[in-house]
Structure formats: C-alpha cells, structure tokens
Amino acid sequence: MPHKVSLSRLKLTDFRNYAAAALDLDGRHAVLTGDNGAGKTNLMEAVSLLSPGRGLRRAAYGDITRVGAAGGFSIFAALDGMEGEVEIGTGIETGEETTARRLRINGTQAKTADELTDHLRLLWLTPAMDGLFTGASSDRRRFLDRLVLSLDPAHGRRASDFERAMRSRNKLLDEGRFDPSWLAGIEEQMASLGIAMALARQEMLGLLTRLIEETRETSPFPSASLQLSGFMDGQFTRPSVDLEDEYAAMLSESRYRDAGAGRTLDGPHRADLIVHHREKAMEAERCSTGEQKALLVGLVLAHARLVGNLTGHAPILLLDEIAAHLDEGRRAALFDLIDGLGGQAFMTGTDRAMFSALGDRAQVFTVADGKIFE
Ligand SMILES: Nc1ncnc2c1ncn2[C@@H]1O[C@H](COP(=O)(O)OP(=O)(O)OP(=O)(O)O)[C@@H](O)[C@H]1O
C-alpha cells in the first residue's frame, strides 16, 4: 500500500464565501455535506490550490477573494506529506487581478509552484468535467496534461516553454519576418519541447493502459482504452531525435501556410485524447451520460492508483458530487474502491445519508453559509 499523504488542518481567510474558517482533520477521508451553495466546492477548490496551477475551477485569483474583503485571500494547510510534516501557505495580497499567487512552504518563499509536488499530489473529479468526452479537445488536452503532471512535474514547464516559443514563431510569421535562421532556432526549440511533451503523454497513457488492463477483472467501472491523436500519430516508437528532426522540418515547410492561418497548425497543442469504452467498443463521446461518467470515474481512480504505485505516495483525491447518481450498492462499491487506494479523499454531497456506507472511515462535516461544523 502506498504511503498516505493526509491533510491535518486547512485554514481559509477571505476565500470565496468563507471570511474565516478552519477544518481539523484526523487523517481519515473528509465528507463535506450541505445545501446547494453552502461552500462545499469552495473548500475543494481551496485544497486544489495546494497543487501548481489555478485550481479546480481555473479561476482568476481576483475572483476567489471573498466579495467585500479588504485584502486578498489566504489558504493555510498542514499535512503529513511525501517528505514528512509540512506547512503550506498560499494566497494573494489584494483582491485585484493578478496572475501570480504567493506560496510559502515551511515558512520559506517557494521559487515556483512546482515545489508543491514534492509534498503532495492531487487529483480531482468535478461535475464540470462531465462533458469531457463530448466537449472541446482543449479540455481533454488539459485533463491529459494534468494526469502527466501528477507523475512528471517537469511537464508543466515544458508545456509553457513550448507555448512561449510557439508564440514568438507566430509573431514573426504574422509580422512577415521570415528570417530563416531566427525561425529555425525557434523551431528547433519547439521541436525538442514538443516531442518531449508528446512522449511524456504517450508514456503516461501506456502506463495507465497497462494498469487498467491489470485491474480490469476487479474494477466495478467500464475500462477505457486510450489513444493520442492529432500529432505524429502512431510514430512514438521511433527514436526521439528522429521525431524532433521531422517536426522541425514540418514547421520549416509550413511557415507560409501557418502565416496565412495566423497560427501554428501542427504540434502537441493540437493533440487530442481519444477514449473508447472497451467492453462496448464504442467511442466515449457516443456513450450514454451515465456510461461516460462511469468511464471518467474509472479513469481518474485508475490514475490515482498509478500515481500511488509509481511515487509510493497515494494522491489526495477531491471528488465533488461523485456519488450523486449512484444507487446504494454502487456507492458502497465506489467507497470501498476509493478507500482501497490508500489515500485521503475529500467527497461532497448534499445528503449526509449518501455516505453512510463509509462508516467510520470518514470524518463528516456540515457546511452552511461559509461555516464548517463537525
Ligand atoms: N468570491 C466570492 N465571494 C463570496 N462568495 C462567493 C465567491 N465566489 C463564490 N461565492 C459563493 O460561494 C457559494 C458556495 O459555492 P460552492 O460552489 O462551494 O457551493 P456548493 O456547496 O458546492 O454547492 P452545490 O451543492 O450547489 O454545488 C455560492 O453561493 C457563491 O455565490
């Protein structure tokens, strides 16, 4: 069983509908119940900001600050992390628009948010992700990259460096500055970053596919088959230098076409994650709403198991309204599966009774009007 990373305290100040609130946890799972609009998802969002990025709503930081607060918001968390006990503080100082948040780990200013991944890995599943298979490919790419990031924290840096290089290529082409050596330099950089990104995605999908295969017999969820499409399809068994050369050549040959289009038309930023329901041999987007949800839950939980196996530390799971549409038997099976992953899970729902099958495996909190009661 992987080591359990668990949050022991969460303190919020001027965060969404919480002026000041604290949650003391004893290491078990945390169930958050309360009426619509009580602040359950807000609490999940606060925990999600203990990972790099903008959290599970991808909100602008200014929007997170409580309406009417004098300054910004802050989150403080104490946890038994991957490197032992750790205290994390994050937030912004004013309620105004900012793209950066402050981050202190054990009292020291962190250089980058990537340092958070030394202490915990977080995975989430929210109702907003229900349309993942039918929605925009950019959402699936983001989902895929989050899966990669939780195993390979360097992936985020690669992706942002690639974006930056691509933007400067697009700008040169847009301005009609076809300087061959300047462009070739940028394209070489894009090729090495872009192929590294694609290979990291491919590797993660390979690992996840193997794990899904191994646990297929016992999983209560349909199994997903996963493929990358839209960029160098089926070529990832070739040596990476060859792939880089080929992508650089592709970019070089497509300068005029891309200038006309106003953007770079080939690259890892155009890739898509294609998911099939294996047992039904059906594309996920053509499955029923319930089947899509079951596929997604199965996928996220399989990934959680993979992260636990590979890092030796079970990720913290944020599962927003995951049990909402399940009958009692399926709910109990789901809770057993979540518990069996060995990590701490945060789960929400409007009805406390929905979680009775968890028994004393969870601490149950009631949330009402920006206050938390145990
Ligand atoms: N910046 C903010 N300042 C104050 N209140 C906010 C802010 N942002 C969101 N809220 C409020 O927080 C409330 C709780 O939202 P949250 O999404 O956490 O509810 P919930 O308990 O998950 O509800 P549901 O069961 O409907 O999903 C909402 O009423 C929302 O208007």
Side-chain angles (χ1 to χ4, degrees):
M1 192 72 111
H3 166 250
K4 182 174 199 166
V5 167
S6 61
L7 219 62
S8 53
R9 187 166 169 77
L10 183 72
K11 221 175 106 203
L12 307 179
T13 310
D14 288 332
F15 185 93
R16 298 278 187 191
N17 64 333
Y18 296 95
L23 195 61
D24 283 303
L25 301 146
D26 61 15
R28 291 180 290 164
H29 304 297
V31 165
L32 310 166
T33 65
D35 294 341
N36 295 134
K40 304 179 295 291
T41 308
N42 292 346
L43 269 179
M44 298 283 221
E45 184 183 31
V47 180
S48 75
L49 286 167
L50 302 176
S51 67
R54 287 191 285 135
L56 58 73
R57 284 195 176 107
R58 296 179 38 76
Y61 295 136
D63 293 343
I64 291 177
T65 302
R66 186 177 60 86
V67 172
F73 73 87
S74 73
I75 304 167
F76 167 86
L79 61 143
D80 177 16
M82 294 162 70
E83 294 182 349
E85 304 277 319
V86 63
E87 293 185 348
I88 298 170
T90 188
I92 60 168
E93 300 228 310
T94 68
E96 282 159 21
E97 215 38 69
T98 169
T99 52
R101 58 180 158 117
R102 293 169 159 270
L103 175 64
R104 293 178 86 79
I105 300 179
N106 284 331
T108 307
Q109 185 104 22
K111 286 196 190 72
T112 77
D114 288 353
E115 287 180 34
L116 288 166
T117 57
D118 295 339
H119 302 282
L120 77 161
R121 303 288 162 93
L122 271 163
L123 299 175
W124 58 74
L125 188 55
T126 70
M129 290 157 71
D130 283 355
L132 188 74
F133 301 129
T134 49
S137 64
S138 55
D139 288 340
R140 283 185 295 281
R141 247 186 335 268
R142 194 172 301 120
F143 172 76
L144 175 66
D145 283 335
R146 282 205 58 80
L147 298 187
V148 178
L149 259 175
S150 58
L151 282 170
D152 177 2
H155 189 65
R157 177 55 49 87
R158 276 194 296 261
S160 54
D161 288 351
F162 175 84
E163 284 286 330
R164 194 171 317 119
M166 182 169 69
R167 272 201 303 275
S168 45
R169 177 178 183 268
N170 290 348
K171 188 162 183 282
L172 285 179
L173 295 181
D174 184 49
E175 291 166 354
R177 292 153 77 192
F178 288 80
D179 177 329
S181 60
W182 196 352
L183 279 166
I186 295 173
E187 287 162 357
E188 214 171 284
Q189 205 189 355
M190 283 172 69
S192 94
L193 291 162
I195 294 299
M197 276 170 73
L199 287 172
R201 289 170 175 167
Q202 187 65 34
E203 188 187 353
M204 194 277 303
L205 288 189
L207 292 166
L208 196 52
T209 297
R210 206 172 316 147
L211 186 130
I212 290 171
E213 184 60 42
E214 283 164 13
T215 52
R216 206 176 155 194
E217 299 283 300
T218 52
S219 173
F221 296 102
S223 41
S225 78
L226 308 162
Q227 275 166 308
L228 268 178
S229 130
F231 178 56
M232 297 206 141
D233 296 351
Q235 299 198 53
F236 294 109
T237 49
R238 293 170 52 201
S240 58
V241 279
D242 291 356
L243 295 171
E244 285 174 23
D245 288 348
E246 188 169 324
Y247 182 36
M250 217 190 271
L251 289 169
S252 164
E253 283 160 21
S254 58
R255 287 172 192 165
Y256 287 96
R257 181 199 65 181
D258 289 352
R263 64 206 168 107
T264 300
L265 293 173
D266 292 305
H269 61 295
R270 303 298 299 276
D272 198 354
L273 170 68
I274 309 293
V275 178
H276 278 80
H277 185 305
R278 259 184 74 165
E279 288 78 20
K280 296 191 66 173
M282 177 81 79
E283 299 97 309
E285 61 179 313
R286 291 175 54 206
C287 289
S288 76
T289 315
E291 286 168 340
Q292 291 189 31
K293 179 83 180 190
L295 264 174
L296 190 58
V297 173
L299 196 55
V300 169
L301 295 184
H303 186 68
R305 191 181 298 279
L306 183 66
V307 173
N309 289 350
L310 294 182
T311 65
H313 302 273
I316 289 182
L317 292 174
L318 306 177
L319 306 170
D320 198 5
E321 288 183 37
I322 194 178
H325 305 293
L326 299 178
D327 58 47
E328 211 176 319
R330 287 206 174 81
R331 257 196 325 258
L334 173 65
F335 294 150
D336 288 347
L337 183 67
I338 292 168
D339 194 47
L341 294 172
Q344 186 182 38
F346 288 73
M347 291 170 262
T348 64
T350 45
D351 185 3
R352 201 182 175 106
M354 213 184 259
F355 299 94
S356 56
L358 271 167
D360 62 6
R361 292 177 291 181
Q363 238 176 317
V364 181
F365 299 91
T366 304
V367 178
D369 295 332
K371 295 197 171 48
I372 309 166
F373 309 94
E374 192 171 351

